[in-house]
Amino acid sequence: MWTRKDLKEKAKAALKRNYWKAVLVSLLLIMMGEGFAPAAAASGSSSELEQSEIETEGEAVENYIVHDAIEESIEESLREIEQVEESEQTVYIVVFMVVVVTILIIASVIVILADVFLVNPLSVGTKRFMLNSVDNMGNIADLGYAFDHNYKNAVKTTFTRDLHIFLWTLLLVIPGIYKRYQYYMVDYILAENPGMPYTDVLEKSKKMMEGQKWNTFVLDLSFILWHMLSTVTCGILEIFYVKPYVKLTRASLYRALTDGTSQL
C-alpha cells in the first residue's frame, strides 16, 4: 500500500539525483502554464473681456458684437459636428466590437491549437522525464518523446481527455474535478505506452484511479503550504523546489499504482 510519506520520500530522493534537470523541466512547465486625451479649451474670451474694459465705450460695444458673432458661429459649427458624431457613433461602436470579438476569437483559436499540438505532447514528455527520474536518472531529451513516438495518438488522446473534462465541467465544477481525477494518469500511460489506443488509455486511467481519487486529491492538497510559501517568494521557491517536488511525487504515485499497490 502507498502512503503520502513514502511517495514524498521517493520524490525527494529522485529530486536529489536529478535536481538541475528537474528544475529546468519545471521551469518549462511554468512557462507553458502549466498598461490623454487633452481636455477641450473653452476659456479664451476672458482676457479679451478684460482688455475691452480698458478701451473706449464705442470700441467695447463693437468688440462685444464681433465676439458674439464669432461665438455664435463657433457654437453652430459645434452643433453640426455633434450631429455628425452622433450619426456615426453607432457605426464606430459596431466596428470596434467586431474587431475586438474577431481578435478574441483568433487568440482563443491560437491558444487552443498550441495547447493541443504543442503543450499536451510536451506534457507527456515531462511525465516521462519524471518517471525516469523516479526510477533512476531523467534525460532532458525525454521532453520530446511524444513528438517522436506516435505523435498523432498523443494529440488525439490528450485532446479527447481535455474535451471530456471540459464538457463535464459545463455541468458543474464538481463533475469536472471528478473527471479530471479519473483521467489523472493519462499522460503517464502515454509516456510509457505511446502506441496504446486512446480509448484504452482513458479506460486504463479510470481503472487505476478507482478508489484512489480522494486519496490523490488529499495528496495534492498536502502541498498547499508549499504553494503559499512560493507565493511569498514571488514564485522562486516554486521553480527551484516545489514544482519538481510535486511532479516527482505524482510520478511516484503512478509507479505505486502500476505496481498494483493501494492505500487503505
Side-chain angles (χ1 to χ4, degrees), residues 19-64:
Y19 180 73
W20 286 110
K21 289 184 287 186
V23 168
L24 181 61
V25 172
S26 298
L27 179 60
L28 176 63
L29 287 170
I30 293 174
M31 292 174 63
M32 291 192 308
E34 261 164 35
F36 302 106
S43 59
S45 61
S46 59
S47 60
E48 295 178 2
L49 291 176
E50 293 175 357
Q51 183 178 1
S52 65
E53 292 176 358
I54 306 175
E55 297 173 352
T56 61
E57 183 178 351
E59 290 176 342
V61 172
E62 182 179 352
N63 286 338
Y64 279 123

Side-chain angles (χ1 to χ4, degrees), residues 112-252:
I112 292 173
L113 291 177
D115 186 68
V116 171
F117 294 103
L118 178 62
V119 175
N120 281 348
L122 276 174
S123 179
V124 173
T126 61
K127 300 303 190 297
R128 184 173 178 84
F129 169 83
M130 296 299 173
L131 288 173
N132 288 337
S133 297
V134 169
D135 294 339
N136 187 17
M137 295 294 293
N139 193 325
I140 295 297
D142 292 334
L143 298 179
Y145 182 80
F147 294 96
D148 299 327
H149 298 79
N150 288 282
Y151 171 72
K152 292 182 179 179
N153 187 55
V155 169
K156 179 170 63 176
T157 303
T158 53
F159 173 75
T160 304
R161 183 262 324 270
D162 292 345
L163 182 61
H164 286 179
I165 294 174
F166 172 73
L167 293 176
W168 277 67
T169 304
L170 292 179
L171 299 176
L172 277 176
V173 175
I174 299 300
I177 296 175
Y178 176 83
K179 208 66 178 176
R180 176 180 177 273
Y181 277 92
Q182 266 197 331
Y183 294 146
Y184 201 88
M185 296 300 173
V186 166
D187 286 354
Y188 296 99
I189 297 170
L190 284 173
E192 292 196 316
N193 306 276
M196 182 180 290
Y198 78 95
T199 53
D200 294 345
V201 174
L202 299 180
E203 189 61 29
K204 182 176 180 179
S205 179
K206 288 181 181 180
K207 290 181 178 179
M208 290 180 67
M209 294 303 294
E210 286 181 1
Q212 303 295 333
K213 289 182 282 292
W214 174 252
N215 295 328
T216 304
F217 174 76
V218 174
L219 175 65
D220 288 340
L221 198 62
S222 68
F223 293 105
I224 189 169
L225 291 179
W226 282 111
H227 292 303
M228 292 172 66
L229 286 174
S230 298
T231 302
V232 173
T233 62
C234 300
I236 295 176
L237 186 62
E238 186 78 18
I239 296 172
F240 289 97
Y241 186 76
V242 179
K243 180 68 73 173
Y245 178 34
V246 172
K247 294 298 182 181
L248 288 168
T249 301
R250 291 172 178 171
S252 299

Side-chain angles (χ1 to χ4, degrees), residues 87-103:
S87 65
E88 295 180 353
Q89 187 177 17
T90 303
V91 176
Y92 290 153
I93 292 175
V94 171
V95 172
F96 176 76
M97 293 302 296
V98 169
V99 171
V100 170
V101 171
T102 301
I103 292 175

